[in-house]
Amino acid sequence: MNDTELLRATDRAYDMVFKGLVEFSCVKAGFELDLFNILADAGSMELEPLAEKVGGEARRLGQLLVAMEQIGLVEKDGSKWKLTEFSDTLFAKPENHPSHTMESAAHSMGFLAENYYMKLADAVRGKQKFISPVAYPPQTREENEYFETIHRRTAYFPIKILGEFAKLDGIKQMTDVGGGIGDISASLCQKFPELNVTLLNLPGAIELVNENAASKGVGDRLKGAAVDIYKEPFPEGDAVMFCRMLYPMSVQFSTMMIKKAYDAIRPGGRILILDMLICDPNKPNFDYLSHYLCGIGMDFSVLDFKKHAEYPGILEGIGFTDVTKEEKYDHVLYQAVKPA
Ligand SMILES: C[S@@+](CC[C@H](N)C(=O)[O-])C[C@H]1O[C@@H](n2cnc3c(N)ncnc32)[C@H](O)[C@@H]1O
């Protein structure tokens, strides 16, 4: 390595050893102190009253704020502290931007950092099991709400790419396989007035889906159904959507799920597959990687890395035609038609 390469490599190594730790500790502390919400409500605050409000000591909070300032989470407004636009948008007041906030994910990652990720070597040795903040599969309404909230908080760009490219004109009945709490299908119902959706999910999530659909004014067109998507066939309809469902599955498993969709789609109907991008060699997907690492602590994991470029071959191999692909907002959308 020459010195230029060594400097670049050193930066990268420093990122690996220091950056993630510093950034996440500050974010975690910010959430645990309720600092983001307090500053969002106040607009800006002097150190002393802010320390009192978060239950901290002014000198110690001051040091945390200086570190948070360095990484772009807070800034000074004269002698007062305030959020940056970045932290205000992504870390404060989830109710203000419910499909685009890190609050739920940060809570889950905080728990996993303390209870699992920092013991990964033990997991490799088989001495540390994966521990979830809430048991999976979720049973109660509260447990389902916990997982569904994590998904719905990052639905902004999936909703956006589907809103721009989903070909659902003329489709009357779509099945949303593992459709979360229904925010994504509700947005499609709002865009396509003829569309009705049956959203398949775990039994404990159905009430949440139906309540959410009603609150968005599409309760008569979007309904949850308790169907085990891995064990049971999908209901018959004009379209099947897999939104953020297939990206972690192997080619073999994806093929099986897409074949089930083919069998359920009426001739002339459509399939939609929306995935996060997880295989860009220049941009590792750390959201997916955080989940992938959990598999190390499990006795069995189906999580895999599959290139999305496999989809045209899988779809055409099963009998779909007219495969299209749109890539935008770090997501990819494949659509295809079952011949009439
Ligand atoms: C990764 S989330 C995707 C949610 C949604 N499609 C989205 O993009 O936000 C997986 C969804 O599948 C549901 N799910 C998991 N296992 C299931 C099963 N065996 N049968 C039906 N739904 C299941 C989960 O409850 C959750 O809603």
Side-chain angles (χ1 to χ4, degrees):
M1 257 188 218
N2 62 33
D3 276 357
T4 309
E5 290 162 345
L6 184 60
L7 188 59
R8 203 175 301 132
T10 306
D11 276 352
R12 179 87 189 95
Y14 271 60
D15 279 359
M16 286 189 178
V17 175
F18 299 112
K19 183 171 185 274
L21 190 64
V22 168
E23 290 187 333
F24 188 62
S25 332
C26 288
V27 166
K28 184 169 181 288
F31 277 113
E32 288 173 1
L33 295 166
D34 204 22
L35 193 72
F36 301 117
N37 289 333
I38 291 171
L39 282 177
D41 280 337
S44 62
M45 277 182 95
E46 298 285 356
L47 178 62
E48 301 284 341
L50 183 56
E52 196 174 320
K53 192 104 178 152
V54 304
E57 294 176 21
R59 198 261 315 156
R60 297 173 199 271
L61 177 65
Q63 276 183 265
L64 176 65
L65 288 166
V66 167
M68 290 175 99
E69 184 182 26
Q70 292 286 316
I71 60 174
L73 288 171
V74 294
E75 60 193 359
K76 274 292 198 49
D77 182 9
S79 59
K80 294 182 173 181
W81 288 99
K82 64 176 195 170
L83 298 181
T84 58
E85 189 183 12
F86 163 70
S87 60
D88 195 24
T89 308
L90 282 148
F91 295 106
K93 299 268 147 191
E95 63 274 21
N96 291 349
H97 25 76
S99 63
H100 197 54
T101 169
M102 296 308 290
E103 188 211 35
S104 310
H107 177 273
S108 171
M109 289 299 113
F111 175 91
L112 291 175
E114 286 177 11
N115 295 283
Y116 176 69
Y117 291 129
M118 291 297 134
K119 302 168 187 168
L120 210 50
D122 282 341
V124 171
R125 293 187 187 106
K127 292 182 178 157
Q128 172 69 46
K129 283 202 175 304
F130 169 69
I131 304 169
S132 172
V134 170
Y136 199 87
Q139 308 291 334
T140 65
R141 180 185 167 95
E142 289 68 31
E143 288 170 356
N144 277 278
E145 206 159 25
Y146 180 85
F147 285 109
E148 295 305 357
T149 303
I150 293 179
H151 303 133
R152 79 187 311 193
R153 294 299 188 227
T154 58
Y156 182 83
F157 285 111
I159 288 173
K160 209 163 157 65
I161 186 173
L162 282 164
E164 285 178 32
F165 299 110
K167 296 175 197 167
L168 291 171
D169 284 313
I171 297 289
K172 300 221 163 39
Q173 182 59 49
M174 181 175 87
T175 301
D176 181 356
V177 181
I181 200 163
D183 289 345
I184 296 168
S185 270
S187 75
L188 291 171
C189 284
Q190 284 156 353
K191 168 146 196 218
F192 297 95
E194 282 186 297
L195 183 67
N196 296 279
V197 177
T198 302
L199 186 156
L200 313 186
N201 207 329
L202 299 165
I206 302 308
E207 198 176 73
L208 300 174
V209 173
N210 291 339
E211 285 173 11
N212 188 33
S215 78
K216 290 180 154 50
V218 291
D220 52 336
R221 292 162 54 213
L222 165 58
K223 300 222 182 287
V227 171
D228 188 325
I229 57 173
Y230 302 114
K231 296 190 180 143
E232 297 176 69
F234 303 154
E236 192 183 77
D238 310 312
V240 168
M241 176 169 77
F242 295 99
C243 182
R244 298 195 293 182
M245 292 300 289
L246 298 185
Y247 65 87
M249 295 178 188
S250 65
V251 170
Q252 194 186 12
F253 205 77
S254 304
T255 305
M256 186 199 84
M257 295 296 278
I258 293 170
K259 174 72 171 68
K260 266 167 62 151
Y262 187 85
D263 293 342
I265 297 170
R266 294 186 194 109
R270 314 186 64 87
I271 186 169
L272 297 86
I273 301 171
L274 177 76
D275 277 2
M276 300 199 285
L277 288 174
I278 62 167
C279 282
D280 181 344
N282 299 314
K283 194 176 177 192
N285 185 316
F286 290 103
D287 174 354
Y288 178 52
L289 280 169
S290 72
H291 293 87
Y292 185 79
L293 290 178
C294 295
I296 296 174
M298 298 175 188
D299 293 332
F300 174 72
S301 168
V302 295
L303 300 181
D304 204 345
F305 276 87
K306 159 185 93 249
K307 290 200 167 26
H308 66 74
E310 301 269 8
Y311 282 126
I314 298 174
L315 288 162
E316 285 163 1
I318 288 171
F320 285 103
T321 60
D322 303 280
V323 179
T324 61
K325 177 195 138 191
E326 313 292 343
E327 193 175 318
K328 210 170 173 185
Y329 311 126
D330 292 338
H331 289 76
V332 63
L333 173 64
Y334 281 93
Q335 301 182 80
V337 177
K338 177 169 173 174

